[in-house]
Amino acid sequence: MSKPSKQLLAPLTGLLLLSAAATQLTGCVVRAGVAVPAPPPPPVAYVAPAPAAAVDVQVNEAPPPLPVYEQPPCPVEGYIWTPGYWAWAPAGYYWVPGTWVSPPRVGLLWTPGYWGFVGGAYVFHAGYWGPHVGFYGGVNYGFGYGGVGFAGGRWVGSSFAYNQSVTNVNVTVVHNTYNETVVNNVTVNRVSYNGGTGGITAAPTAQERMAAQEQHVQPTFEQHQHVQQAAANPALLARNNGGRPSIAATPHPSAFNAPGAVGAHGTAPPPPHVPPAAYANHNGTGAGHGAAAARATRPGGGVAVNGKPPAPKADAKQHPKAPPKGEEKTAQR
C-alpha cells in the first residue's frame, strides 16, 4: 500500500487546525454569552407635568408664605374663583391677587399653579383649565382649594353652582347656590410650595394623575393681563410689602383699584377707585400704589387725601386769628 504524499497531507493538516481553532472560538463565544443581570434602576421621583403652554420658572429661594385675606363676593353668576399666588420677576417675588374669572367655556374648572422643589431649585408649574382639577402641590389656597380638588362649586349642566360654606356669594346676584360642609384633611398653614425644606409633603392622587393627562386650556387673555399688571405694580413686590400685599384679591381681573378689592390682614386697605388717567405717570406705570394711591387731583387745585375732598382754604376774613409763630399746621390724614 502506497503512503500518502506530502502534497496531500499538508491541506488535510491545515483543515484540522482550522477546525480546532473554530471549536475553541465557538466555546469562547458561548462562555461570553452568559450575561450577569444588571441591578434595577433607582425609582424616579414624581414631577407633575406642566401644561404644554406653561414655561417653568426656576428660583433658588422659596416663595413667601401665603397672605391671609378675605374673598370678595362673586360679582357675576358663572365666574369661578382663582386664588392668588406668588410669582417671580427679576425684582423678586410679587403677589398675583386672587380674582373671579369667567371660564373659557362651560364645564371647565381651574387648577391653580404651584411652586415645587425639583432638582435643587423651586420650579413653578402654571395653572390651567380642564374638566377636572389636577394636582396643585397640596397647597391650601383656601376658598375651596384646600390642597386637593375644589370644593367651592361645581357644574350642574350648563350652570355653575356655588358652595356657600366656603365661597363668598351675594344671593341677590348669584342664585344657583348650595351648602355643603367641607372637611379639611390637610394641615391648615400658609406654606406656599411643595417639597424642599419646610415645604408641603404631598403627592398626586390617582384622580389627579388622570386629570394631568386630560386636554388642558391655557389661562384666558384676562388672566394674562391680570398677571402682567401685578408684575408692574411695585406695591405687590414681597420686598416692598413684607409678604402682606395691600391688594390681595379683586372682584375682576386687573381691577386692582376697583371697589371690592381687599388687602391682606395687617395692611392698610387698598386705595379707593380712581380713574386710570390719574394713575398713569410719565413712565406709563402705575403711579398711585401704596400711600401715593390715596391721592388724586381734584378740580380747583386741591388734593384728596384717602378719598376725602380737600379742606377749604383758610380765609383771613373768616379766621382773623392767625396761629402763633412756630406752630406747625397738622395735615389732614
Side-chain angles (χ1 to χ4, degrees), residues 163-182:
N163 186 0
Q164 286 187 279
S165 67
V166 291
T167 56
N168 185 5
V169 292
N170 185 346
V171 294
T172 61
V173 177
V174 177
H175 306 287
N176 198 8
T177 63
Y178 64 96
N179 277 289
E180 187 174 275
T181 303
V182 177

Side-chain angles (χ1 to χ4, degrees), residues 42-60:
V44 180
Y46 176 82
V47 178
V55 178
D56 290 336
V57 179
Q58 295 189 5
V59 184
N60 292 326

Side-chain angles (χ1 to χ4, degrees), residues 183-296:
V183 179
N184 219 331
N185 294 322
V186 298
T187 303
V188 179
N189 54 43
R190 297 168 55 203
V191 178
S192 59
Y193 59 94
N194 178 282
T197 304
I200 297 170
T201 57
T205 64
Q207 292 179 343
E208 289 171 333
R209 289 177 184 268
M210 292 178 61
Q213 305 302 322
E214 296 174 334
Q215 184 177 4
H216 299 154
V217 178
Q218 300 180 26
T220 63
F221 176 75
E222 289 76 14
Q223 288 178 284
H224 282 296
Q225 280 190 321
H226 186 74
V227 175
Q228 291 174 357
Q229 292 198 22
N233 191 329
L236 296 180
L237 281 171
R239 67 182 186 184
N240 293 341
N241 58 43
R244 293 177 296 181
S246 59
I247 307 171
T250 64
H252 297 272
S254 305
F256 294 168
N257 302 306
V262 299
H265 287 189
T267 60
H273 176 65
V274 178
Y279 275 81
N281 60 17
H282 63 279
N283 292 327
T285 58
H289 301 296
R295 300 194 304 269

Side-chain angles (χ1 to χ4, degrees), residues 65 84 114 159 200 267 325:
Y114 73 97
S159 300
I200 297 170
T267 60
K325 292 183 180 181

Side-chain angles (χ1 to χ4, degrees), residues 80-83 108-114 128 130-154 160 163 166-167 178 180 182-186 202-209 211-212 214:
I80 294 178
W81 177 252
T82 58
L108 295 183
L109 298 171
W110 176 249
T111 295
Y114 73 97
Y128 57 87
H132 299 92
V133 177
F135 183 65
Y136 51 92
V139 178
N140 184 1
Y141 288 110
F143 312 115
Y145 295 97
V148 178
F150 178 56
R154 54 179 176 241
F160 191 80
N163 186 0
V166 291
T167 56
Y178 64 96
E180 187 174 275
V182 177
V183 179
N184 219 331
N185 294 322
V186 298
T205 64
Q207 292 179 343
E208 289 171 333
R209 289 177 184 268
E214 296 174 334

Side-chain angles (χ1 to χ4, degrees), residues 17-135:
L17 291 174
L18 289 172
S19 300
T23 302
Q24 292 179 357
L25 288 174
T26 303
C28 291
V29 171
V30 172
R31 288 192 295 270
V34 179
V36 178
V44 180
Y46 176 82
V47 178
V55 178
D56 290 336
V57 179
Q58 295 189 5
V59 184
N60 292 326
E61 59 179 290
L66 296 172
V68 180
Y69 60 93
E70 304 297 332
Q71 183 186 49
C74 181
V76 180
E77 199 166 38
Y79 273 34
I80 294 178
W81 177 252
T82 58
Y85 63 93
W86 292 107
W88 177 264
Y93 281 106
Y94 65 95
W95 180 251
V96 178
T99 190
W100 291 96
V101 176
S102 176
R105 62 173 180 262
V106 172
L108 295 183
L109 298 171
W110 176 249
T111 295
Y114 73 97
W115 290 93
F117 188 76
V118 180
Y122 296 91
V123 180
F124 184 73
H125 303 273
Y128 57 87
W129 294 95
H132 299 92
V133 177
F135 183 65

